Amino acid sequence: MSKFQVNKVAVLGAGVMGAQIAAHLVNVKVPVVLFDLPAKEGPKNGIVTKAVEGLKKLKPAPLGVVEDAALIQQANYEEHMDVLKECDLIIEAIAERMDWKLDLYKKIAPFVAPHAIVASNTSGLSITKLSEALPEAIKPRFCGIHFFNPPRYMALVELINTPTTEARYLDALEAFVTSGLGKGVVRAKDSPNFIANRVGTAGMLATMKEAQNFGLTFDVVDDLTGKKLGRASSGTYRTADVVGLDTLAHVMKTLQDTLSLETDPFYGSFATPEVLKTLVELGNLGQKTKAGFFKKVGRDVLRFDLASKEYVPAGQKADEVYGRMLKKPAAERLKLLRNSEGKEGQFLWAILRNGFHYAAVHLASIADNARDVDFCMRWGFGMKQGPFELWQEAGWLEVAKMVQEDIDAGKALCNTPLPKWVFEGPVAERGGVHQQEGSFNPTTGQFVAPRNLPVYQRQHFPETVLGSNAPKAETAGTTVFEDESIRLWTLDNDVLIASIKTKMHAIGGGVIEGLLKAQALAAESYQGLVIWSPDEMFSAGADLQSMMPAFMMGGAKAIEGAEAELQKAMLQLRYSNVPVVSAIRGLALGGGCELAVYSSKRVAAMESYIGLVEVGVGLVPGAGGLTYIARGAAENMALSTSKDILPFLTEGFTAAAMAKVGTSALESRKLGYLLDSDVIVPHKDELLFVAINEAKAMYASGYRAPHKRSFPVAGRSGIATITAQLVNMRDGGFISAHDFHIGKLIAEVVCGGQVEAGSMVTEEYLLALERKAFCSLITHPKTQERIMGMMSTGKPVRN
Ligand code: NAD
């Protein structure tokens, strides 16, 4: 097969999943056509049109920017079958009925291009059975592609082959789903509900069952099974409310329908819990009906009480002693829980034990190896660690013995013993399923390495499981300089990497010093500088805390000095002849946003949230953010025939004055914090690879810093126009007096002060205005109230 190119994708079925998968394809710039049945009344595309409209309102947002909904081509099976011929990949996501899916496959078969891959998003049906309806010519190109809801945000995609799927097609699809869509691929066996939903739903059912056994209420269970346990913060029951209790009941039903006591010895514990049945009957389906296990009334959270069928006050927390136990090292933690007297501790041990038991018994039939199970629970169920990782961390044989003792004592969900491989052979001898050479495959008895497809070369530091001893980004490569604020290092001796190490990557004196050192070193000996950190954020902003001592001692004057240093550093990066590439992921706020926009180029993961948020703490951007907005407006005007700068300024002004943060890289670009020439990367783990390559390409093409130019500003008339609008907002009660004051200061800076419209200014001139505005605010009591509030509670104060 020559290179598999995905020029266009068809998604069949515009329901919950199909519509969102189409949206995500748009996010990553893949042309997509979304099909559904022809509407019985009105325009034939009616069903799809409604689904596309729905995408604009759905939370969490499936689209990076709402307007992009228009990029989804709409189609129906009556009028547009020919469009299928243009598609390289067809993803079927219609209702979960074997007969309907088979009918549809027969209908589309004549229109499938000879090279196209056809894949089903079924969450439980047999992929092999589905393939049987297809013509022989399509069978080698057919597989399962199981996304998780919501598909933009959930990392996991399970790919499932049939006996007739050709490996090269699956490999090509894996590369596309990984690099093109930014997902984590796990290959699953064609067993009911595949890996994640099988283990995850069985786990959820077991948790509900144990909660009932131990007589624990939903609020206490959620407190125990959320963050403290390293799982999604919504715990067990609130997660169920978010998913929708009808959906959950449906997934449970698939498990009940497709399995039996012969195929799954845990089958006895798969009955739908009484309380869930009751809630579904009452139509209390969770968040979407505003009542489920929990219900919010005003500011109070209530929980459903099965006995009275009423909602009663909730908010009870678990005993703090268990929170403390859960912080202990794994081995100690499990022993403490198992031996604890209290029912909350015993409950925790029981659900963990059930998880180990289930995963071990089923590993051979559902997955190729233990790593795949752990990744599924991490990427598909939001767990920090999968069951095998925790088990191994706590001591393989000790935990195995504890689990087996419980099984023998009749405490487990079923009496099936742990498989032989747990106690004998390489896993037992080497202390676990994950080893340096790979993870255990119980069928072959070997430890298998991660798949080595070329696409994975793009991930310098892929996610790994405990025990695999993969190199850590924090210590990999060659360190050139390191202190408590920053690490300067290189992977290839060509590009220098600066990794900020402070908490939330806050930018204080140490970080600035480190970045300047990095720029100087890179200019001297490297092709480029990449600013990248291994964890989840770029930078949450300037380090307010570290500014406080200077402020206390030297007042606003001392702060002005610190601001001037920050600004100088930003200019040094901007006018660096060695390219400086910011590799952004997660938050890039305030000073973090300024660092990004003063770099030569930005490479941003799709999930990047960029913005100037200083107004939230009663300040204005002071490290060049406003100067950037003014310059950007002038540059954009220069590209047009207009001589009026104000329209080009509005977006940037509003973004800063309202502390807007892009909810995706795409929206951050709309706000002006990324440029069209910047790169958006779907997969977070490819960010470093792409940034290094960008830096090298810039060097290779002879990069030089931009010219230092003066540029026109909007001047006093611009300030007057913006102020008039601010007055309306203040008098209409939309903004506070302090917001008005800050907004006016921002207007004064971005318009270049009280000068004639069109006056030419320099960056240094604007930076001085920015400093002045910043320093005038820092002594303002309302600003101090906002700063103190933010530092003590982490939440913005409205005053
Ligand atoms: P849905 O009910 O929201 O949408 C199903 C769509 O299929 C509808 O738009 C409907 O018009 C269309 N449809 C119904 N009958 C049809 C037929 N006979 N021929 C053609 N189209 C038909 O369903 P969903 O939740 O989006 O699920 C779709 C698929 O994705 C299912 O296989 C489901 O198991 C799977 N899935 C769902 C989730 C989830 O969380 N909802 C997660 C992963 C996978």
Side-chain angles (χ1 to χ4, degrees):
M1 185 170 72
S2 55
K3 210 169 100 198
F4 177 64
Q5 293 183 52
V6 183
N7 295 315
K8 186 167 187 168
V9 175
V11 178
L12 313 181
V16 174
M17 289 304 284
Q20 290 193 82
I21 293 169
H24 189 61
L25 286 159
V26 166
N27 288 339
V28 295
K29 297 214 290 196
V30 177
V32 57
V33 50
L34 179 61
F35 277 84
D36 210 306
L37 297 167
K40 294 209 173 78
E41 285 166 24
K44 290 248 156 62
N45 277 347
I47 297 178
V48 179
T49 306
K50 198 163 157 233
V52 171
E53 283 307 306
L55 286 172
K56 298 181 187 168
K57 289 173 226 120
L58 202 61
K59 290 277 170 267
L63 285 157
V65 282
V66 164
E67 307 85 275
D68 281 357
L71 295 174
I72 299 176
Q73 186 184 348
Q74 304 183 7
N76 64 75
Y77 307 115
E78 201 175 293
E79 299 173 303
H80 308 115
M81 292 300 263
D82 274 338
V83 182
L84 279 180
K85 293 182 182 160
E86 301 163 18
C87 299
D88 311 291
L89 170 64
I90 298 172
I91 300 174
E92 171 272 306
I94 71 159
E96 188 76 333
R97 282 268 303 260
M98 177 70 80
D99 50 345
W100 294 354
K101 289 188 196 272
L102 295 183
D103 276 351
L104 184 64
Y105 293 178
K106 283 188 200 118
K107 205 151 77 183
I108 62 161
F111 301 92
V112 175
H115 68 282
I117 294 179
V118 182
S120 174
N121 182 49
T122 175
S123 30
L125 301 175
S126 158
I127 302 294
T128 306
K129 281 217 180 85
L130 284 172
S131 76
E132 284 161 10
L134 290 166
E136 292 305 313
I138 298 181
K139 281 184 184 168
R141 294 177 269 131
F142 180 76
C143 63
I145 185 168
H146 186 214
F147 285 87
F148 285 71
N149 191 15
R152 169 178 160 192
Y153 300 92
M154 297 304 287
L156 181 63
V157 171
E158 289 171 318
L159 292 185
I160 308 104
N161 67 303
T162 74
T164 46
T165 313
E166 261 181 44
R168 61 192 172 128
Y169 289 108
L170 215 57
D171 288 352
L173 188 59
E174 177 162 348
F176 171 69
V177 171
T178 304
S179 196
L181 305 186
K183 300 287 142 197
V185 169
V186 169
R187 300 272 182 103
K189 292 194 178 171
D190 191 12
S191 63
N193 288 42
F194 314 124
I195 303 174
N197 273 347
R198 176 80 173 271
V199 177
T201 312
M204 204 159 190
L205 278 161
T207 302
M208 293 184 174
K209 197 173 162 142
E210 297 291 1
Q212 203 182 341
N213 287 350
F214 288 98
L216 299 179
T217 51
F218 311 143
D219 41 7
V220 172
V221 170
D222 278 6
D223 188 34
L224 288 169
T225 57
K227 268 227 157 72
K228 286 180 190 162
L229 197 60
R231 299 186 178 180
S233 57
S234 45
T236 303
Y237 293 100
R238 201 159 65 78
T239 300
D241 276 348
V242 173
V243 170
L245 302 191
D246 51 342
T247 308
L248 190 66
H250 185 80
V251 175
M252 289 174 181
K253 189 163 180 317
T254 320
L255 220 55
Q256 293 155 6
D257 290 349
T258 48
L259 294 167
S260 66
L261 212 47
E262 284 76 54
T263 50
D264 192 326
F266 294 76
Y267 191 78
S269 58
F270 288 167
T272 310
E274 208 45 48
V275 57
L276 181 62
K277 252 194 241 161
T278 310
L279 284 166
V280 173
E281 276 162 23
L282 289 172
N284 294 359
L285 305 180
Q287 205 172 61
K288 58 185 160 190
T289 61
K290 307 226 172 338
F293 287 109
F294 295 103
K295 180 176 172 175
K296 241 184 137 183
V297 179
R299 307 191 93 209
D300 297 326
V301 178
L302 307 179
R303 66 173 166 82
F304 185 71
D305 175 59
L306 182 60
S308 63
K309 298 205 168 73
E310 303 278 342
Y311 283 87
V312 299
Q316 212 184 321
K317 296 268 177 231
D319 190 330
E320 278 174 24
V321 71
Y322 300 108
R324 287 198 293 275
M325 281 185 196
L326 287 173
K327 286 202 183 111
K328 300 276 182 199
E332 196 184 341
R333 187 188 326 153
L334 294 192
K335 279 197 195 102
L336 282 171
L337 292 173
R338 185 163 186 254
N339 297 329
S340 69
E341 301 272 314
K343 54 186 185 178
E344 293 173 14
Q346 287 176 22
F347 159 79
L348 281 173
W349 161 249
I351 62 169
L352 294 172
R353 173 203 63 214
N354 296 341
F356 300 144
H357 188 190
Y358 196 83
V361 167
H362 290 295
L363 175 59
S365 65
I366 62 175
D368 174 68
N369 63 74
R371 179 181 52 244
D372 289 348
V373 173
D374 282 343
F375 276 159
C376 276
M377 300 325 288
R378 216 193 268 180
W379 296 338
F381 273 78
M383 293 187 183
K384 252 207 184 109
Q385 259 186 335
F388 290 117
E389 278 179 291
L390 173 59
W391 180 345
Q392 180 162 341
E393 191 186 357
W396 186 262
L397 277 178
E398 290 80 351
V399 174
K401 279 182 200 135
M402 295 197 292
V403 174
Q404 189 57 49
E405 268 173 34
D406 278 17
I407 298 170
D408 295 339
K411 291 182 185 163
L413 292 174
C414 72
N415 59 10
T416 304
L418 289 174
K420 259 210 172 94
W421 60 260
V422 169
F423 293 102
E424 291 166 19
V427 171
E429 282 153 23
R430 299 185 55 187
V433 285
H434 302 308
Q435 303 297 334
Q436 191 147 6
E437 68 267 36
S439 296
F440 190 64
N441 171 330
T443 311
T444 61
Q446 308 280 319
F447 295 94
V448 283
R451 268 184 318 290
N452 189 21
L453 297 176
V455 67
Y456 294 115
Q457 312 266 308
R458 300 171 59 86
Q459 301 183 7
H460 286 306
F461 301 98
E463 283 196 41
T464 53
V465 283
L466 174 122
S468 64
N469 282 333
K472 286 199 169 38
E474 287 77 5
T475 47
T478 313
T479 303
V480 178
F481 171 84
E482 184 162 15
D483 62 12
E484 70 280 4
S485 304
I486 209 160
R487 175 174 178 240
L488 308 182
W489 57 292
T490 179
L491 271 174
D492 55 7
N493 288 322
D494 291 332
V495 171
L496 188 66
I497 304 166
S499 300
I500 302 175
K501 288 169 57 184
T502 50
K503 191 172 169 210
M504 300 185 82
H505 304 165
I507 300 173
V511 172
I512 286 299
E513 221 173 276
L515 287 171
L516 292 178
K517 189 191 232 4
Q519 191 277 334
L521 277 169
E524 211 174 271
S525 321
Y526 296 86
Q527 297 181 13
L529 170 64
V530 165
I531 306 173
W532 173 86
S533 303
D535 49 5
E536 284 159 19
M537 68 172 71
F538 182 68
S539 164
D543 186 359
L544 287 175
Q545 207 110 35
S546 79
M547 280 190 178
M548 279 297 138
F551 177 63
M552 296 299 179
M553 282 164 61
K557 249 237 115 46
I559 293 291
E560 174 154 20
E563 281 301 302
E565 286 302 312
L566 258 174
Q567 294 179 337
K568 214 171 102 199
M570 295 298 172
L571 289 182
Q572 181 167 332
L573 297 181
R574 175 166 158 75
Y575 292 104
S576 161
N577 274 333
V578 67
V580 179
V581 178
S582 276
I584 306 160
R585 170 189 171 201
L587 301 180
L589 303 179
C593 173
E594 288 164 316
L595 176 57
V597 300
Y598 275 81
S599 303
S600 323
K601 187 166 201 162
R602 286 134 299 277
V603 169
M606 172 63 198
E607 297 306 325
S608 293
Y609 315 112
I610 312 177
L612 292 170
V613 294
E614 285 82 349
V615 171
V617 285
L619 292 168
V620 296
L626 298 182
T627 302
Y628 169 79
I629 288 171
R631 178 172 56 75
E635 284 171 1
N636 286 334
M637 183 183 72
L639 297 174
S640 76
T641 52
S642 171
K643 289 276 169 279
D644 179 9
I645 198 163
L646 205 56
F648 296 93
L649 200 55
T650 315
E651 185 88 54
F653 167 79
T654 314
M658 294 179 61
K660 284 193 192 176
V661 177
T663 54
S664 62
L666 298 168
E667 201 179 78
S668 303
R669 186 168 62 191
K670 274 196 73 182
L671 295 178
Y673 302 131
L674 294 176
L675 304 178
D676 282 346
S677 51
D678 292 336
V679 182
I680 297 177
V681 184
H683 202 299
K684 66 176 174 56
D685 294 337
E686 292 189 3
L687 196 58
L688 181 60
F689 172 86
V690 177
I692 288 175
N693 278 298
E694 282 295 330
K696 284 186 180 168
M698 287 164 86
Y699 174 82
S701 46
Y703 179 81
R704 289 194 67 84
H707 270 300
K708 234 172 178 326
R709 294 173 194 269
S710 42
F711 48 87
V713 285
R716 65 172 69 86
S717 61
I719 299 175
T721 310
I722 297 179
T723 306
Q725 285 161 5
L726 289 171
V727 167
N728 286 340
M729 288 171 80
R730 181 194 58 194
D731 295 352
F734 298 107
I735 57 172
S736 70
H738 196 46
D739 287 330
F740 173 82
H741 176 62
I742 302 171
K744 191 148 182 278
L745 283 174
I746 293 180
E748 282 168 6
V749 178
V750 295
C751 293
Q754 298 294 341
V755 295
E756 280 302 306
S759 299
M760 300 298 279
V761 300
T762 60
E763 283 172 302
E764 283 77 5
Y765 165 83
L766 285 177
L767 288 169
L769 290 185
E770 226 182 292
R771 273 197 316 269
K772 199 165 143 224
F774 186 92
C775 294
S776 77
L777 281 167
I778 198 134
T779 49
H780 197 295
K782 293 243 180 225
T783 289
Q784 294 197 338
E785 212 180 313
R786 288 192 189 185
I787 295 178
M788 291 306 171
M790 180 64 88
M791 288 202 306
S792 56
T793 66
K795 296 206 175 85
V797 175
R798 311 261 347 133
N799 63 0

